[in-house]
Amino acid sequence: MNQFYMPTKVYQETDAVKNHSEEMAGFGKKALIVTGGQSSKKNGALKDVTDGLDKQGTTYVIYDRVPENPGIACVMEAASLGKKEGTDFVIGVGGGSPMDAAKAISLMIRNRDSSEEVLYQNVSLQALPVVEVPTTCGTGSEVTPYAILTRDDLQTKSSIAHHIFPVLALVDGKYLEQAPLSVLTNTAIDALGHVLESYFHSKATDYSRMLCQYAMEVWGTAADVLFGMEAKEGDYDRLMFASSLAGMAISHTSTGIPHALSYYLTYHKGIPHGKAVGVFLPGYLAALPDSFEPQVIMALQALGFGSLEQFAGVIKELLGEVKLSNTEYQEMVDEMMKNDRKLKNTPFEVTKEDIYKITEICK
Ligand code: NAP
Ligand code: ZN
């Protein structure tokens, strides 16, 4: 079956926030801006948003305490501020952490008398409108319905039960210009993970593959920046664009085994999301049955790699190594084998041997 559903309105251009401030401000009288501690103040994204709201006469309150890999505590704190201030909509500004938090916060404000358990309950609930302004080129959260939170109770990370598509995404590559290479690399590799996991996915459709194929091409034309080369004109825009395309693809398929494994590395070893995903990508491609070989070659070529060996070498060069103790390694593999939902996302019957192959880099 081929199905396509992408309800988020996207503007991708230089000065997207400024140019579309009327639409951004049009979701109510008062906004809750949700952002991280520092970066959105330095890269200009927060000022663009507050200037835009000021211009339209829309009031706002700012919650700027979203940490990396946010948990439920930050969501509840921000929701409480939003409820107290009577905010009508939420604007997430930053990387995936504040953008995901914004979605969960919008749900908790709209359902003001509910407790945090509702985040993980399969009940049908509405959320306040969410606008997203991404400042990293990885998660695609500006166009996905997912909000991934850290679960200390389960010692991992997982998506909340509710699917909340942003109503509006304002995407501008200029916010990447001053980003440290580590942030660019980690997040661009996350987008690469979305593309490859979505392309080689049991739920892939012609539409999702089309998004992946174009994302691969776009990503490949801008990837030089990740190797410390000076950015060509449009490179930052292309990295952002590839990230949004990849987000649209995973909105249809979800992610696969590398993402499922990554949550162990992030939760237990503090490894940033993109790196935690990226280290498993060569192994994932290697574990695909031989019948996928033509598609693997096509994907690698579109991304600008000559072979799987070269791809594996580049990933190692960009991300370095991640080593686990024997006990940690076995725990990660065992957890993966119990994760039926993610195992089913793979377009072949996965065995424990396959998981050993995918995770060999951590031994
Ligand atoms: P992030 O956790 O949002 O941010 C990482 C770091 O980068 C933070 O220190 C942040 O600073 C900084 N930063 C952000 N933008 C910057 C910029 N333009 N220049 C310089 N520094 C900048 O990183 P992320 O990789 O974008 O998001 C990861 C989260 O998204 C994870 O929780 C992951 O599970 C989730 N995720 C969600 C989806 C989805 O579909 N919703 C998909 C994949 C991953 P500040 O803290 O100061 O802002
Ligand atoms: Zn990801």
Side-chain angles (χ1 to χ4, degrees), residues 35-40 43 66-70 94-98 100 103 135-136 138-141 144 146-148 157 175-176 178-180 183 187 190 194 250 259 263 273-274:
T35 191
Q38 293 183 6
S39 68
S40 67
N43 62 37
V66 180
E68 290 183 39
N69 307 301
S97 296
D100 281 9
K103 295 174 192 171
T135 67
T136 63
T139 69
S141 179
T144 75
Y146 313 125
I148 288 123
K157 298 179 64 181
Y175 302 132
L176 295 174
Q178 309 299 325
V183 169
T187 63
D190 183 23
H194 297 161
I250 58 166
H259 266 72
Y263 299 141
H273 176 66

Side-chain angles (χ1 to χ4, degrees), residues 71-85:
I72 293 167
C74 125
V75 167
M76 297 310 286
E77 187 178 65
S80 150
L81 174 68
K83 285 189 261 186
K84 192 174 94 200
E85 295 281 338

Side-chain angles (χ1 to χ4, degrees), residues 92-347:
V93 186
S97 296
M99 287 196 288
D100 281 9
K103 295 174 192 171
I105 292 162
S106 77
L107 186 93
M108 296 313 303
I109 299 177
R110 172 80 197 263
N111 301 281
R112 49 182 310 116
D113 298 325
S114 298
S115 60
E116 62 188 52
E117 284 77 34
V118 84
L119 287 166
Y120 285 94
Q121 282 166 0
N122 276 317
V123 285
S124 174
L125 293 175
Q126 300 291 311
L128 294 183
V130 180
V131 176
E132 302 280 27
V133 180
T135 67
T136 63
C137 50
T139 69
S141 179
E142 69 277 9
V143 291
T144 75
Y146 313 125
I148 288 123
L149 299 180
T150 296
R151 298 279 307 264
D152 287 321
D153 52 338
L154 303 177
Q155 298 209 342
T156 187
K157 298 179 64 181
S158 68
S159 186
I160 64 169
H162 309 270
H163 278 184
I164 303 168
F165 272 107
V167 287
L168 181 67
L170 298 168
V171 185
D172 187 343
K174 79 178 175 200
Y175 302 132
L176 295 174
E177 281 168 15
Q178 309 299 325
L181 193 52
S182 58
V183 169
L184 277 184
T185 303
N186 285 333
T187 63
I189 296 291
D190 183 23
L192 184 60
H194 297 161
V195 165
L196 292 172
E197 289 170 50
S198 180
Y199 194 75
F200 299 105
H201 197 291
S202 55
K203 294 194 206 114
T205 67
D206 291 340
Y207 288 119
S208 64
R209 276 189 286 261
M210 173 189 77
L211 289 162
C212 291
Q213 278 171 341
Y214 196 48
M216 288 170 196
E217 256 179 62
V218 175
W219 193 97
T221 61
D224 283 353
V225 183
L226 309 181
F227 300 94
M229 290 185 208
E230 203 180 318
K232 305 185 292 300
E233 201 189 333
D235 275 355
Y236 295 119
D237 295 325
R238 283 192 286 274
L239 286 174
M240 275 290 195
F241 186 37
S243 171
S244 297
L245 289 170
M248 291 178 196
I250 58 166
S251 294
H252 291 84
T253 56
S254 79
T255 54
I257 287 180
H259 266 72
L261 289 164
S262 80
Y263 299 141
Y264 186 94
L265 297 187
T266 300
Y267 191 85
H268 293 282
K269 310 300 278 182
I271 295 174
H273 176 66
K275 176 172 177 175
V277 169
V279 292
F280 299 118
L281 293 176
Y284 184 61
L285 295 185
L288 288 165
D290 290 348
S291 56
F292 285 88
E293 198 183 332
Q295 286 153 276
V296 171
I297 292 171
M298 183 286 298
L300 290 173
Q301 278 175 352
L303 290 163
F305 302 106
S307 65
L308 188 48
E309 291 66 38
Q310 189 206 357
F311 177 56
V314 168
I315 287 289
K316 212 170 192 173
E317 184 191 330
L318 284 177
L319 303 179
E321 291 194 329
V322 174
K323 293 291 172 205
L324 297 176
S325 71
N326 285 343
T327 318
E328 289 167 336
Y329 179 76
Q330 208 50 55
E331 189 176 53
M332 179 179 73
V333 171
D334 290 343
E335 269 182 25
M336 185 69 242
M337 286 311 292
K338 284 189 220 136
N339 191 341
D340 275 344
R341 200 168 52 86
K342 286 287 184 190
L343 291 174
K344 277 195 200 126
N345 288 348
T346 305

